[in-house]
Amino acid sequence: MDIGGNGIFPDEVVIQILARLPVKSLFRSKTVCKLWYRLSMDKYFIQLYNEVSRKNPMILVEISDSSESKSSLICVDNLRGVSEISLNFLNDRVKVRASCNGLLCCSSIPDKGVFYVCNPVTREFRLLPKSRERPVTRFYPDGEATLVGLACDSSYQKFNVVLAGCHRTFGHRPDGSFICLVFDSELNKWRKFISFQDDHFTHMNKNQVVFVNNALHWLTVSSTYILVLDLSCDIWRKMPLPYDLIYGMGNRIYLLDFDGCLSVIQISEAWMNIWVLKDYWKGEWCMVDKVSLRCIRGMVPGIFPISQTGEYVFLATHKQVLVYHRKTQVWKEMYSVKYSSALPLWFSAHAYRSTMFSCN
């Protein structure tokens, strides 16, 4: 594309520089000239910007102040430090339920069953149509979804929102029916299908949903397999974990993304082992790193991996966010809560990256 360079730098060099700016700085640069103004609408530049952003992982953390009964959202960026992100443009009190390729899926706190999909840096948002006709009341406790997933396909600029959970009528135990609602951004409507599942999930299992190969992946509480929802055919299936995982007391397992691949991280008292699914269809796992936790031994019982790439691993504790640099094998504290927090940081932490993905 021709961006009207002044001859000092080739156009491609200027594009590469602009593609590495934060979105807010990029939007400010639109005032330089008309050609730069059109950058944010150019398909080639948007694709380049989103590809570059994949190499810079971040995490979003909700900070709850127990004394003032309010919360704020912060972004921890390995390159640019810590900044606060506001979702006030939604004009609602919301909770972040899922994150994928720069978009967030948020649920309304005062209005059960109301969901938004937004891009916090471009401040675009989309109010999703109601997922159910009957209002959620105390007589219908099945209204709160067990699993919430967001699948954003940057190649086709479309997304899906998944709400899934066991059906339970008032006063009865779940009957085994696993109801799944899938929102299609292109059709602007929900589709529904019912299957039979008997899976359980911890809070971290619910938060750490990974979108790979047009499917959403969750780790179950038993840590014996990965539950997969194939969005191309609306079918649930089970995927085996690495055969050399070590089970037992003191070994915790987490599911993350690794540069577009599924990854499993196991934390024990002394080590953090990382596997990557090299061949998705053959189920071939490969251990890519074995990290000593000796330097942070006192934090190990309360540390949780949140996001990673081939260069970094972000982890959260009760009051701190740490980053581990794989090449230098150095640990660094990126953020620390200075006051009493109502909830631990890992409880509301999500993997994130800044993109120009549109939700409209």
Side-chain angles (χ1 to χ4, degrees):
M1 61 176 290
D2 181 12
I3 65 168
N6 55 14
I8 299 177
F9 296 107
D11 285 354
E12 185 59 30
V13 173
V14 177
I15 291 173
Q16 291 289 340
I17 293 173
L18 294 175
R20 285 159 174 78
L21 290 177
V23 174
K24 290 183 179 179
S25 300
L26 180 65
F27 275 39
R28 292 193 193 104
S29 71
K30 292 168 67 173
T31 60
V32 173
C33 63
K34 292 182 178 179
L35 291 171
W36 284 26
Y37 180 84
R38 299 193 193 104
L39 271 181
S40 60
M41 297 173 283
D42 183 84
K43 291 183 178 180
Y44 169 78
F45 182 78
I46 292 174
Q47 182 178 359
L48 174 64
Y49 191 94
N50 293 342
E51 289 176 356
V52 171
S53 73
R54 290 186 63 88
K55 302 175 183 178
N56 181 32
M58 311 175 191
I59 66 171
L60 286 183
V61 184
E62 185 177 2
I63 309 298
S64 301
D65 190 336
S66 57
S67 61
E68 300 182 16
S69 299
K70 66 178 183 179
S71 63
S72 58
L73 199 64
I74 65 164
C75 177
V76 182
D77 183 342
N78 182 60
L79 298 179
R80 305 182 183 98
V82 180
S83 59
E84 187 169 348
I85 288 182
S86 174
L87 299 179
N88 291 338
F89 58 90
L90 295 177
N91 296 317
D92 195 356
R93 285 199 310 122
V94 297
K95 175 184 177 181
V96 177
R97 302 298 301 272
S99 170
C100 183
N101 286 334
L103 295 188
L104 302 179
C105 177
C106 305
S107 62
S108 173
I109 295 174
D111 298 321
K112 296 290 185 181
V114 174
F115 286 86
Y116 303 87
V117 171
C118 68
N119 187 325
V121 290
T122 63
R123 300 176 70 85
E124 288 185 350
F125 73 93
R126 185 165 175 175
L127 173 62
L128 305 188
K130 288 277 189 173
S131 60
R132 52 182 288 152
E133 297 177 359
R134 181 182 296 164
V136 179
T137 70
R138 67 185 183 91
F139 297 105
Y140 296 97
D142 58 319
E144 185 71 14
T146 302
L147 301 179
V148 178
L150 178 61
C152 304
D153 191 329
S154 57
S155 301
Y156 298 97
Q157 290 290 304
K158 64 179 183 179
F159 66 86
N160 296 105
V161 174
V162 173
L163 308 178
C166 293
H167 180 267
R168 178 167 66 94
T169 54
F170 183 72
H172 295 80
R173 293 183 177 181
D175 59 8
S177 300
F178 202 66
I179 299 176
C180 186
L181 298 170
V182 181
F183 176 79
D184 189 313
S185 62
E186 291 184 319
L187 301 177
N188 194 40
K189 66 179 183 180
W190 297 86
R191 63 180 185 266
K192 176 181 178 181
F193 64 97
I194 300 175
S195 60
F196 294 93
Q197 305 285 343
D198 189 25
D199 301 298
H200 301 278
F201 307 87
T202 66
H203 180 81
M204 289 302 291
N205 292 155
K206 298 174 187 177
N207 272 10
Q208 295 184 327
V209 51
V210 180
F211 176 60
V212 172
N213 285 351
N214 201 35
L216 290 169
H217 305 74
W218 288 270
L219 188 66
T220 59
V221 70
S222 63
S223 296
T224 53
Y225 58 86
I226 298 169
L227 186 64
V228 184
L229 173 59
D230 191 330
L231 293 170
S232 62
C233 55
D234 289 346
I235 292 179
W236 293 94
R237 54 186 170 86
K238 297 177 181 179
M239 175 181 288
L241 289 164
Y243 69 89
D244 48 351
L245 276 174
I246 301 174
Y247 296 94
M249 293 294 293
N251 293 306
R252 296 177 285 132
I253 302 173
Y254 303 95
L255 185 68
L256 274 74
D257 177 277
F258 186 103
D259 294 337
C261 298
L262 271 183
S263 174
V264 169
I265 293 183
Q266 183 175 53
I267 293 181
S268 63
E269 293 182 358
W271 297 96
M272 178 170 68
N273 298 325
I274 303 174
W275 287 265
V276 173
L277 188 59
K278 291 296 186 180
D279 192 315
Y280 185 86
W281 303 113
K282 293 182 180 179
E284 295 179 356
W285 293 89
C286 176
M287 183 183 287
V288 295
D289 209 348
K290 187 180 180 70
V291 181
S292 172
L293 301 179
R294 183 177 56 182
C295 295
I296 58 167
R297 183 176 299 171
M299 301 181 181
V300 170
I303 199 166
F304 298 82
I306 306 298
S307 176
Q308 66 171 338
T309 66
E311 298 182 14
Y312 312 107
V313 182
F314 276 101
L315 305 100
T317 67
H318 189 96
K319 291 188 175 183
Q320 295 169 297
V321 174
L322 306 177
V323 63
Y324 173 74
H325 296 253
R326 283 197 167 103
K327 291 182 179 179
T328 59
Q329 299 182 351
V330 172
W331 293 87
K332 179 181 177 183
E333 180 185 285
M334 293 296 299
Y335 177 77
S336 178
V337 176
K338 305 302 180 183
Y339 49 82
S340 177
S341 179
L343 294 172
L345 296 185
W346 56 261
F347 191 84
S348 59
H350 295 269
Y352 178 72
R353 56 176 53 93
S354 176
T355 69
M356 296 177 66
F357 198 114
S358 175
C359 52
N360 293 312

